C-alpha cells in the first residue's frame, strides 16, 4: 500500500490516513492480520507529526478496523465485508448498478457523487 497525504486539502491529514485504510480494505489490498507501518515510520515517510499518525491509528482502533498491539504496532482486524465501510461499499455497488441500468456513463455517476458531496 502506498500512503499519500495532501496538506492543501480541506480534509485533516489524520482523516486522509483513515480514509486510505478504509479504501485499501474495500479494495482487498489489506487483509486481517496484516500490519500497518509503525507510526514513527509512517510519520517520517510522509513528513507528518507522529501525533497525527497516532490519532489516525486511534480512530481506526475505535472503529474496530485495527488492533494496537504493544511491540507489534497496528494490525488489521476488520475485513472488507465487516469493516465500518462495508455498508458504504454495498450502497456504492447498488448505486453503480442503478446507474448502469439507467444507461448513465461512468462520468455522469462520478459527477453526481461529487455534486452530492459539495457543502
Amino acid at each position: 500500500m502506498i500512503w499519500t497525504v495532501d496538506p492543501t486539502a480541506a480534509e485533516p491529514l489524520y482523516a486522509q490516513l483513515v480514509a486510505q485504510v478504509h479504501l485499501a480494505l474495500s479494495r482487498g489490498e489489506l487483509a486481517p492480520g496484516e500490519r500497518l507501518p509503525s507510526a514513527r515510520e509512517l510519520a517520517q515517510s510522509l513528513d507528518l507529526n507522529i501525533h497525527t499518525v497516532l490519532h489516525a491509528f486511534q480512530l481506526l482502533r475505535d472503529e474496530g478496523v485495527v488492533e494496537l498491539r504493544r511491540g507489534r504496532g497496528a494490525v488489521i482486524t476488520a475485513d472488507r465485508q465487516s469493516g465500518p465501510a462495508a455498508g458504504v461499499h454495498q450502497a456504492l455497488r447498488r448505486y453503480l448498478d442503478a446507474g448502469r441500468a439507467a444507461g448513465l456513463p461512468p462520468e455522469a455517476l462520478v459527477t453526481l457523487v461529487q455534486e452530492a458531496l459539495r457543502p
Side-chain angles (χ1 to χ4, degrees):
M1 176 175 167
I2 298 174
W3 297 83
T4 60
V5 291
D6 180 1
T8 63
E11 185 178 26
L13 297 172
Y14 69 87
Q16 291 180 42
L17 296 174
V18 170
Q20 287 180 55
V21 171
H22 286 295
L23 186 59
L25 270 171
S26 69
R27 290 180 174 165
E29 296 170 2
L30 287 174
E34 287 189 53
R35 288 192 305 160
L36 297 179
S38 74
R40 188 180 319 274
E41 290 171 1
L42 192 54
Q44 286 176 341
S45 70
L46 295 174
D47 196 26
L48 295 175
N49 185 304
I50 191 168
H51 296 289
T52 301
V53 177
L54 289 172
H55 185 55
F57 283 7
Q58 289 166 349
L59 288 174
L60 290 165
R61 178 203 57 207
D62 293 347
E63 293 173 351
V65 175
V66 300
E67 182 179 312
L68 298 177
R69 299 178 183 170
R70 192 171 291 277
R72 287 200 57 213
V75 179
I76 299 293
T77 56
D79 61 25
R80 65 178 165 186
Q81 278 75 38
S82 65
V88 174
H89 194 66
Q90 291 170 355
L92 179 58
R93 272 194 234 119
R94 288 191 303 272
Y95 169 73
L96 294 174
D97 291 343
R100 288 183 191 117
L104 295 173
E107 297 81 13
L109 297 172
V110 170
T111 300
L112 289 170
V113 170
Q114 289 172 335
E115 288 176 1
L117 290 172
R118 287 195 186 118

